Amino acid sequence: MRRTPDIPDSATAGWAAARAGETPVVPEVPDDAPSAARVAVPAPDAEETVRAAESPQARSIALIVIAVILVFGALYFARDFFIPVVLAFLLNLALSPVIRWLARYHVPPPAGAALVLLLGLLALAGAGYGLATPLRTWVAAAPGELSTTARRLRRVIRPVEQVTRAADQMARATEAVAPGGGAGGGAGGAARGGNGRGGPGAEPARVVLEGPSLSSRLFGTGQALAAALLEVTVLLYSLLAVGDLFLQKLMAMLPSRTDREKAIVIARTTERSISTFLMLTTMINVGEGLVVAAGMALIHMPTPFLWGTLVAAAEFIPYLGMLTMVAVLTLAGLSAFDSVAHALLAPGIYLAINFVQGNIVTPLVMSRRLTLNPVAIFLALALGWWLWGIPGVFLAVPLLSAAKICCDHVESLAAIGAFLGGRDRGERRSVLRIRVVRRAGSRPPRARGASSSSSS
């Protein structure tokens, strides 16, 4: 007759509580108890699981996930609509303080908006006119310069090609002495390749579909850019001309006076912070572009104004913009100069200027006004590229900065703002203090006899 193992009373009480519908306490099973007492656990409560899944909190999480997926889908498929709208709203945040400053001197908002937009369009047209001649020159000389660059690059990478060629020869020699290789393989290959075009083993004809021509692509791109520019201009003028209309409508929706005053303070502070950040960032990038153009002119680089403009635009894309400009200036230097050392002066000057801008100028001008988490910047760039392509990459960091500023000024979103921001001095000090405490705690305590002997 099989003997039933002895089960402790604590385990029996826990199982009885589970069968009664109460929350069982995990029983303490001694080490010398039988295996049945150690393995057996109460069965999960299916009703409690279903009740938790149908709770309002679980439903709200599911709805949030569905809403986020729908929002990303809308942003992706309606990119032609959202890109001009987002750009117009960002420019509105940057230029609204200028409109209010003009209003202090009795300039109405519609007239101030027209004046600001007119100056902006004139500046944009002047920059385009100045870039037209060097860009046309560079495009005309691009085929010859690319061949020259390839020839000079071949001199630089010739040792690597020699190593690769030697590795290929060794691989072919290994295949020739391997079993199944040699002359038999060559004969078989010749026999397989003996079928002509008319034979039964001939490959089927390939059909190649030609895409749109270059002229049609350029015309379509130019037409789309013109339409987007017109949409941005009209929408931006409407936003600047109406002034605080949206803020007034929002105030009318709030019930209490305290909420209205708090919303006004948050809106004004957020708008001022975003405007200051965007204006300072634009001024720093334009200044860096001018300095790079002067450096390119000093080393007699062709079309220095073009490279300075590209640098100013690329600086709106952290990390990736710098890497792209290093590669572009390296290729341009190799195509412009005969000496490799002279050609490398172009990316070297840019890296030196970028180092000074990133480590000296920007911290002094911004004065720790806004620091972003590098991981958040990378994720924003990747998301912007996936959603909107090149315009999304340019808009990713300004949108991330605006989102962080808004979260910093809203109490319920302060945790998100702290996550999007970089590590400040207080966090560095706390981390350093934790490390010091851990190191001090990991040291073994000194004996009293040793301390007394050392003191004596």
Side-chain angles (χ1 to χ4, degrees), residues 224-238:
L225 288 176
L229 181 60
L230 179 61
E231 183 179 354
V232 170
T233 304
V234 174
L235 182 57
L236 180 59
Y237 175 77
S238 302

Side-chain angles (χ1 to χ4, degrees), residues 372-432:
L372 295 175
N373 189 346
V375 178
I377 292 176
F378 178 78
L379 293 177
L381 291 175
L383 182 61
W385 174 263
W386 177 73
L387 285 176
W388 295 343
I390 295 178
V393 173
F394 279 97
L395 293 174
V397 176
L399 286 176
L400 181 65
S401 306
K404 187 200 180 306
I405 292 173
C406 293
C407 292
D408 289 340
H409 291 89
V410 179
E411 186 177 358
S412 59
L413 302 177
I416 300 178
F419 173 78
L420 296 178
R423 180 181 293 176
D424 55 7
R425 292 185 177 181
E427 291 177 343
R428 290 193 181 98
R429 291 174 181 174
S430 62
V431 171
L432 182 61

Side-chain angles (χ1 to χ4, degrees), residues 20 26 58 134-135 187 193 313:
V26 178
L135 187 60

